Amino acid sequence: MRTKLVAGNWKMHGSLTANETLLSALKAGLAAGVGCESAVCVPFPFLTQVQALLQGSPIGWGAQDVSEHAKGAYTGEVSASMLREFGCGYVLVGHSERRAMHGEDSRLVARKMRAAQAASLVPILCVGETLAQREGGVTEDVVTEQIGAVIEELGVGSLACAVIAYEPVWAIGTGKTASPEQAQTVHATIRGFVAGRDQALAEQLRIVYGGSVKAGNAAELFAMPDIDGGLVGGASLDANEFLGICAAAGQ
Ligand code: PEP
C-alpha cells in the first residue's frame, strides 16, 4: 500500500506575508489529516520561516534544488546538509525548468540525488518529455534514460528512499494536463522499468504526477493505479486548490 504524496512546488514565488497566510490556511485545512502526505518545496530564503510555521504540523517541507557537492568553494550553491539543518525532508532534483534553463543533465541530476540522500533527504526525481519528444514517439526512451542514469550512477536501491515525479514538460504551467490514461501509461512504464531491476522496490515506489494538477482534475488522475499523488506548481500557491488536491489524494 503506497501512501499518496502531494508536494507543492512554489517555484520562485512567495513573500514572508503571503507565505504566512498560505501556510496558516494549509495547517488549518490539514490539521485533522486527510489520508495523504503533504509537503511544500519552497525557495531557499523562506526555509527558516517555513520551518518555524510548519514544525509540529503534518505538512513536510523541502527545497527545489541542491548542490551535488557537500561543501566548498561553490558560490551560490546550497548543500544538502544545510537543507537538513532547516528541517527539510524533501528536495526536488531534475525539475524540467532546471534541466532546460540551467543545463542539468541526467548524470548531474543523479549526483544531486546522491548528495541529497547522503544527508537523509528524500529526493523527488523529476522526469518527463517535451511536446516534440512526445510527438516524436520517444516518451518512454526519455523517461527511462532519465531514470536509467540514476540507476547506473547510484544503483536501483537508491530509488527505495526516493519519489519519482512524472512531469510531461508540455503540461507544466500550461493548463494542459495529461489525461489520466496518458499519465497512467507512462507511470506504468516507469514502474515496469524499475521492476525489471527490482520488483519489490518497484511496488513500493511512489510515482507522482505533475503538470497542471488542480483540485478539479486531481481525483481522476489519482484514481489511476500507478499514480501515487501529485507534484503541484501553480495550484500549490492557492490554499483552497492545494487542500482540494490533498483531499482528492486522501480519498
Ligand atoms: C511543477 O512546477 O512541477 C508543475 C507541475 O507546475 P504546474 O502544476 O503549474 O504545471
Side-chain angles (χ1 to χ4, degrees):
M1 180 65 186
R2 301 183 294 265
T3 304
K4 287 194 170 54
L5 169 69
V6 177
N9 172 15
W10 287 6
K11 310 197 191 205
M12 200 171 71
H13 295 290
S15 68
L16 293 175
T17 310
N19 302 345
E20 187 156 0
T21 307
L22 175 59
L23 293 175
S24 304
L26 296 188
K27 275 205 299 188
L30 295 171
V34 287
C36 73
E37 280 176 37
S38 61
V40 290
C41 295
V42 308
F44 296 131
F46 296 140
L47 284 171
T48 314
Q49 180 196 27
V50 169
Q51 181 178 32
L53 290 175
L54 293 185
Q55 197 97 61
S57 84
I59 309 167
W61 63 93
Q64 300 167 14
D65 186 29
V66 65
S67 175
E68 66 175 302
H69 304 290
K71 62 178 176 178
Y74 301 103
T75 303
E77 294 280 275
V78 173
S79 74
S81 62
M82 293 173 188
L83 298 179
R84 275 305 297 175
E85 285 205 74
F86 289 92
C88 289
Y90 296 96
V91 64
L92 304 183
V93 293
H95 191 279
S96 63
E97 287 155 14
R98 296 209 61 84
R99 289 183 195 258
M101 294 183 234
H102 301 272
E104 294 193 8
D105 64 19
S106 296
R107 301 279 157 188
L108 173 59
V109 172
R111 294 195 298 275
K112 289 186 173 203
M113 191 159 147
R114 175 188 282 129
Q117 292 185 322
S120 302
L121 295 171
V122 175
I124 301 178
L125 170 65
C126 303
V127 300
E129 81 288 1
T130 62
L131 186 58
Q133 289 166 331
R134 172 160 284 263
E135 288 174 349
V138 294
T139 298
E140 180 172 342
D141 297 340
V142 171
V143 298
T144 56
E145 182 278 327
Q146 291 169 332
I147 298 166
V150 166
I151 294 175
E152 276 172 35
E153 291 271 336
L154 312 181
V156 69
S158 64
L159 295 174
C161 294
V163 174
I164 292 179
Y166 168 58
E167 299 206 299
V169 178
W170 48 271
I172 296 179
T174 59
K176 285 188 204 157
T177 317
S179 70
E181 294 74 23
Q182 280 175 318
Q184 166 59 26
T185 299
V186 182
H187 282 235
T189 297
I190 292 171
R191 201 176 303 285
F193 179 70
V194 177
R197 279 109 188 125
D198 188 326
Q199 176 82 39
L201 191 158
E203 278 162 22
Q204 299 300 317
L205 176 64
R206 288 191 290 188
I207 308 172
V208 302
Y209 169 80
S212 299
V213 177
K214 304 182 216 35
N217 61 20
E220 54 178 9
L221 286 160
F222 298 165
M224 293 289 134
D226 288 297
I227 300 185
D228 305 314
L231 178 56
V232 183
S236 72
L237 300 169
D238 179 314
N240 288 333
E241 281 289 322
F242 194 73
L243 290 172
I245 295 166
C246 291
Q251 273 170 22

